[in-house]
Amino acid sequence: RSFSLTTMSSNLRKTYTERAAVHPNPCARTFLELMERKRSNLSVAVDVTSKTELLEIAGKVGPYICLLKTHIDIVNDFDQDLVDQLKALSKKHDFMIFEDRKFADIGNTVKLQYGFGIYRIASWADITNCHSVPGEGIISGLKEIGLPLNRGLLLLAEMSSAGSLATGAYTAATVAMARRHQDFVIGFIAMRRMDAEDEGGDFIVMTPGVSLDVAGDGLGQQYRTPREVVVESGGDVVIVGRGIYGKGKNVEEQAKRYRDAGWEAYLERVRR
Amino acid sequence: RSFSLTTMSSNLRKTYTERAAVHPNPCARTFLELMERKRSNLSVAVDVTSKTELLEIAGKVGPYICLLKTHIDIVNDFDQDLVDQLKALSKKHDFMIFEDRKFADIGNTVKLQYGFGIYRIASWADITNCHSVPGEGIISGLKEIGLPLNRGLLLLAEMSSAGSLATGAYTAATVAMARRHQDFVIGFIAMRRMDAEDEGGDFIVMTPGVSLDVAGDGLGQQYRTPREVVVESGGDVVIVGRGIYGKGKNVEEQAKRYRDAGWEAYLERVRR
């Protein structure tokens, strides 16, 4: 593994600051600077169904994360006040917000889903993501809404779930699409560094399915540690979910533990 | 094309009634019976952002359709009353409701997105759909919520948009997944008949991107006629959008026109 990483990407050994300094995309630049300033590459995936619980966890993990990952459409009592409070927390604790919407429709539809409806995702989520399966029109559609707002898009190049079809030619086609839309696509959801960077780009790799303690969730999710993700596979951001706020956990303690593990892995990688 | 269809699926020449009589899935059976009773294989995709407009179009196309296809998350003023009114219309005009959510996440997340949140999709949508890209856990997750409610799931085996990655091995893997979940998966979103039926199943094929008048939308959507879809490619349900309620259209007239075109194509196919 180290061999393939060594030959792959010079961005691997650059600090987030060094990458920010030359990154052409404003959203990516802001995010890379934030990570270094806050000394955190931890994103917490808050998958809870009540507004109170979401805000409580966001407030607790806030000091330790670079990115709060939401599934806004699972919150039973969503309202505009939730969005306002999340934005206030993101300001207070200096993190960005990533709505993990996984857009997956044709261009004309995702434009409406991103900019309109009850959630108006584009109005508050700094970053969102989409699948590449509909073809490049999905990026063009989202871009029409997100680019004027300085938003950033992640493409799902790979998934952490068992039997994912995002492999091989699918992943390669996704990376190729990203390269053609570097004004808006800032990175990938992937399990490892995508080698498109060899060709001159800089994509931020965010990796879900990270845990220090468990192996799976019974519905196909598969876990890896922060060190495996960041050092061995070249991921930039570790996404941790129930490992931090699951039953009986001390949320702040766990957030600090994962923040430290992720950051140490990053330091080990850039020192190499 | 006729050669491959001839060799493919005996369901092609069966009437919806004949298929309903032997279909093991209650949701599929109900839907096939409805199509024959109403003499319609037309689904209208209502992609509008206001509740009033959605209800107005649903009321006008109601008498002509078997299935109303919604994107509930683009409606700016969504509320529970919208759902109640849609359900009342579906009863009054005898159609089913298909929320075109295109779920695309891991099993644990889609469970929450399907059953919870503001929309509570499983509580009112007879049919929904998902992408196969996360692997089979997505079907298991949705099934936990939908099966007890007698809901049905469509898998996106293909897409109508330009450059779609749902082709070849991806499509084949999707069909294989469906075959393993025939208690919940009632069919496919696809551009043509999927040949898994040869192996004993009966999947309802719904085809989007249908129009009698235009060729594309500038964001990658590609159109075909009802006859191309139903007779040449073996689709069961034609999904029509802006062709029916676009600017300056007489909605009832267009709905009747597409209903007739779809039904004639079906009669031509089963008579062969």
Side-chain angles (χ1 to χ4, degrees), chain A:
Chain A
R1 287 202 206 174
S2 7
F3 175 74
S4 69
L5 284 183
T6 310
T7 57
M8 264 165 61
S9 166
S10 62
N11 290 317
L12 257 182
R13 271 165 311 236
K14 285 188 191 154
T15 64
Y16 299 135
T17 303
E18 288 164 340
R19 289 165 62 186
V22 295
H23 208 295
N25 182 302
C27 178
R29 204 159 52 229
T30 303
F31 183 66
L32 288 163
E33 285 167 357
L34 188 162
M35 283 200 285
E36 192 86 49
R37 176 170 72 240
K38 203 161 170 187
R39 304 179 63 80
S40 171
N41 54 13
L42 172 63
S43 173
V44 173
V46 193
D47 296 344
V48 295
T49 56
S50 94
K51 175 182 163 182
T52 313
E53 211 182 341
L54 172 48
L55 288 170
E56 193 186 309
I57 295 172
K60 284 182 179 171
V61 303
Y64 307 102
I65 62 176
C66 58
L67 190 65
L68 187 79
K69 186 170 91 61
T70 56
H71 280 301
I72 206 70
D73 58 352
I74 68 172
V75 180
N76 292 326
D77 49 354
F78 167 89
D79 58 11
Q80 185 57 37
D81 176 65
L82 170 57
V83 165
D84 296 342
Q85 290 206 49
L86 283 177
K87 285 173 79 168
L89 285 171
S90 89
K91 209 162 189 179
K92 176 179 173 191
H93 294 298
D94 193 19
F95 60 77
M96 285 167 77
I97 303 179
F98 165 27
E99 166 59 21
D100 185 7
R101 173 56 176 77
K102 294 188 174 67
F103 289 105
D105 214 311
I106 62 173
N108 192 65
T109 300
V110 296
K111 265 175 65 176
L112 299 173
Q113 291 173 321
Y114 186 30
F116 300 86
I118 288 285
Y119 298 131
R120 298 175 50 80
I121 294 168
S123 75
W124 53 268
D126 302 292
I127 295 170
T128 191
N129 60 353
C130 78
H131 282 289
S132 50
V133 59
E136 216 154 325
I138 190 170
I139 304 175
S140 309
L142 292 169
K143 194 194 285 190
E144 285 185 24
I145 301 291
L147 200 59
L149 298 167
N150 272 325
R151 303 311 187 195
L153 181 69
L154 304 170
L155 299 191
L156 284 128
E158 296 181 323
M159 295 186 76
S160 55
S161 44
S164 162
L165 303 182
T167 60
Y170 183 105
T171 301
T174 306
V175 172
M177 281 185 206
R179 291 193 55 75
R180 289 190 290 270
H181 294 272
Q182 294 188 52
D183 52 343
F184 187 48
V185 178
I186 64 167
F188 300 105
I189 299 292
M191 307 314 291
R192 59 189 166 90
R193 199 123 209 114
M194 297 285 104
D195 51 11
E197 297 172 0
D198 260 354
E199 301 164 44
D202 179 355
F203 293 101
I204 299 166
V205 174
M206 304 199 185
T207 304
V210 176
S211 176
L212 286 162
D213 306 309
V214 294
D217 74 350
L219 277 173
Q221 178 67 298
Q222 306 167 117
Y223 292 106
R224 291 188 306 156
T225 67
R227 194 181 178 281
E228 284 175 310
V229 165
V230 175
V231 180
E232 295 179 21
S233 300
D236 291 313
V237 175
V238 295
I239 304 176
V240 183
R242 287 162 275 179
I244 285 182
Y245 56 84
K247 253 182 206 161
K249 304 264 183 191
N250 179 318
V251 177
E252 283 103 329
E253 245 170 49
Q254 292 300 321
K256 188 173 181 315
R257 177 180 174 228
Y258 276 93
R259 193 268 320 265
D260 291 346
W263 196 252
E264 274 162 33
Y266 159 71
L267 291 178
E268 178 180 345
R269 187 180 86 191
V270 294
R271 267 194 220 109
R272 281 191 167 182

Side-chain angles (χ1 to χ4, degrees), chain B residues 62-250:
Chain B
Y64 307 102
I65 62 174
C66 58
L67 191 65
L68 187 79
K69 185 171 92 59
T70 56
H71 281 300
I72 206 68
D73 59 351
I74 68 173
V75 180
N76 291 326
D77 50 354
F78 167 89
D79 58 12
Q80 185 56 37
D81 176 64
L82 170 57
V83 165
D84 297 341
Q85 290 207 48
L86 283 177
K87 285 174 80 168
L89 284 172
S90 89
K91 209 161 188 180
K92 176 178 172 192
H93 294 299
D94 193 20
F95 60 76
M96 286 168 76
I97 303 178
F98 164 28
E99 167 57 21
D100 185 8
R101 174 56 176 77
K102 293 187 174 67
F103 289 105
D105 214 311
I106 63 174
N108 192 66
T109 300
V110 296
K111 264 174 65 177
L112 300 172
Q113 292 174 320
Y114 186 30
F116 300 86
I118 289 285
Y119 299 131
R120 301 173 49 80
I121 294 168
S123 75
W124 53 270
D126 303 290
I127 295 170
T128 191
N129 59 354
C130 79
H131 283 288
S132 51
V133 59
E136 216 154 324
I138 189 170
I139 303 176
S140 310
L142 292 170
K143 194 194 285 191
E144 285 185 23
I145 302 290
L147 201 60
L149 298 167
N150 273 326
R151 302 309 187 195
L153 182 69
L154 304 170
L155 299 190
L156 284 128
E158 297 182 321
M159 295 186 76
S160 55
S161 44
S164 162
L165 303 181
T167 59
Y170 182 105
T171 301
T174 306
V175 171
M177 281 185 206
R179 290 192 57 74
R180 291 191 289 271
H181 295 272
Q182 294 188 53
D183 53 344
F184 187 48
V185 178
I186 63 166
F188 300 106
I189 298 292
M191 308 314 290
R192 60 191 164 91
R193 200 124 208 114
M194 295 286 103
D195 50 9
E197 298 173 358
D198 261 353
E199 301 164 45
D202 179 356
F203 293 103
I204 300 166
V205 175
M206 305 199 185
T207 305
V210 175
S211 176
L212 287 163
D213 305 310
V214 295
D217 75 349
L219 276 173
Q221 177 68 299
Q222 307 167 118
Y223 293 106
R224 290 189 307 156
T225 67
R227 194 179 179 283
E228 285 175 310
V229 165
V230 175
V231 181
E232 295 179 21
S233 300
D236 291 313
V237 175
V238 295
I239 304 176
V240 183
R242 287 162 274 179
I244 285 181
Y245 57 84
K247 251 183 208 161
K249 304 263 184 193
N250 179 318

